[in-house]
Amino acid sequence: ASTRDIVLCLDVSGSALPYDQEVLQSYLTFVQHFQGERIGLSIFNSTSRTVFPLTDDYSLVKKQLSYASKLLNGVQTQSSIDKMQQRQYQQISDWLEGTQNRKEATSLIGDGLVSCAAMIPGFIYGSSNNGKQKANRLRRNASIVLATDNVVSGKPAYTLKQALDLTKQAHISVDGLYSGAKENENNDSTLQMKNLIENHGGTFLTRNNDSVLTLVRKIEQSRGTLTRNNTQSALSDDPDIWILLLIICFISWLTIAWRMKR
């Protein structure tokens, strides 16, 4: 069994939503390379919603990701949005329910990342005790794949840097997957996200299969390390010489008592 928990953390704000279908396809490719890891999905805009919690039910994971990918295929272009039927619009609205509960604020990325981290057992909001949580997670390794374009509108409770500081303190690795227009891959907000992710020990990727496979290889390299290190032998039931002598004495006493009785 694997010892890793992976949370897929998806920005569904207006600037990222047209590109989320590609991200979900990347997530599907990503998931198909693993067995045993627990996978969860959280989506966020001004607030967050858990789509499915950490689970090793891969049929459920693939079903949910495929459904979301098919659903968001209708918002990739203005032309596809114009052709959308009322039923499709309602389905998308239902799927996004719970992610826009703060007025005059969108894409609060730091808050979204902290909410994703909260899906991992042992993580505590704030900064006082997260450094001690590795042992309390039954020594499971944990990581987050954060997909966003890093375009913030509004005042978040946590900046991206503050959120990354918290996850690093809690021994949760965060890798970044850029979800925005290709022409903006080298703008200031994207480069800032890249620097923050890499400075906190993560990998920053764009949306293509090579990038996904790079991330898969990174996770596979770290998988199993804790399992090997945690191998233990239970010696509590191993009798030593004194227990054996006691058993011999007890059998001898029974033999003598039986003969005396005769």
Side-chain angles (χ1 to χ4, degrees):
S2 175
T3 59
R4 180 172 288 272
D5 292 335
I6 303 172
V7 176
L8 309 177
C9 194
L10 181 63
D11 183 351
V12 293
S13 61
S15 59
L17 195 63
Y19 309 98
D20 282 344
Q21 195 268 345
E22 293 180 55
V23 175
L24 288 162
Q25 286 298 315
S26 296
Y27 281 163
L28 272 168
T29 302
F30 178 76
V31 167
Q32 288 170 1
H33 288 82
F34 295 108
Q35 289 182 336
E37 281 82 2
R38 296 195 304 185
I39 309 291
L41 173 63
S42 177
I43 58 177
F44 68 89
N45 189 354
S46 68
T47 52
S48 299
R49 179 178 80 84
T50 299
V51 179
F52 55 87
L54 288 168
T55 179
D56 58 3
D57 184 348
Y58 278 46
S59 62
L60 180 147
V61 171
K62 292 175 183 177
K63 181 179 179 180
Q64 289 289 328
L65 292 177
S66 297
Y67 171 77
S69 176
K70 182 179 179 181
L71 200 63
L72 297 187
N73 188 49
V75 298
Q76 288 186 290
T77 64
Q78 186 60 48
S79 175
S80 61
I81 293 174
D82 293 339
K83 295 177 183 177
M84 193 182 301
Q85 298 178 358
Q86 180 62 33
R87 178 179 59 83
Q88 293 173 297
Y89 180 85
Q90 187 60 52
Q91 287 177 326
I92 294 173
S93 179
D94 291 342
W95 193 75
L96 297 174
E97 183 68 31
T99 63
Q100 187 59 62
N101 290 340
R102 286 185 60 183
K103 296 181 179 179
E104 301 179 357
T106 63
S107 194
L108 303 184
I109 297 160
D111 295 354
L113 177 56
V114 171
S115 294
C116 290
M119 293 174 61
I120 297 171
F123 182 83
I124 301 173
Y125 282 100
S127 60
S128 58
N129 295 311
N130 283 316
K132 303 176 182 178
Q133 296 309 310
K134 197 170 185 179
N136 295 340
R137 266 198 241 118
L138 302 180
R139 301 188 70 82
R140 293 183 66 87
N141 216 339
S143 65
I144 296 171
V145 183
L146 172 66
T148 178
D149 58 1
N150 199 33
V151 176
V152 182
S153 177
K155 186 176 181 180
Y158 299 91
T159 65
L160 179 57
K161 181 182 183 305
Q162 289 171 332
L164 287 168
D165 288 342
L166 285 177
T167 53
K168 185 175 182 179
Q169 186 182 25
H171 308 287
I172 301 170
S173 63
V174 179
D175 298 297
L177 184 60
Y178 173 73
S179 61
K182 285 191 175 294
E183 57 266 26
N184 294 330
E185 286 185 3
N186 294 313
N187 66 14
D188 290 343
S189 61
T190 307
L191 293 177
Q192 180 197 45
M193 176 185 172
K194 181 178 185 294
N195 291 333
L196 285 172
I197 292 289
E198 292 179 348
N199 288 341
H200 285 79
T203 301
F204 180 81
L205 309 164
T206 54
R207 299 185 312 276
N208 59 67
N209 286 334
D210 290 339
S211 291
V212 172
L213 292 176
T214 298
L215 184 55
V216 167
R217 284 193 291 269
K218 176 190 172 185
I219 290 178
E220 284 180 332
Q221 287 172 1
S222 61
R223 179 172 58 175
T225 302
L226 292 175
T227 302
R228 290 193 297 272
N229 291 341
N230 287 342
T231 301
Q232 300 180 23
S233 297
L235 301 178
S236 58
D237 291 333
D238 187 19
D240 57 21
I241 186 64
W242 298 108
I243 295 176
L244 291 175
L245 289 174
L246 182 62
I247 292 173
I248 292 172
C249 291
F250 180 70
I251 294 174
S252 299
W253 178 82
L254 286 178
T255 303
I256 294 172
W258 177 73
R259 288 183 176 179
M260 291 179 65
K261 187 177 180 180
R262 291 184 61 188

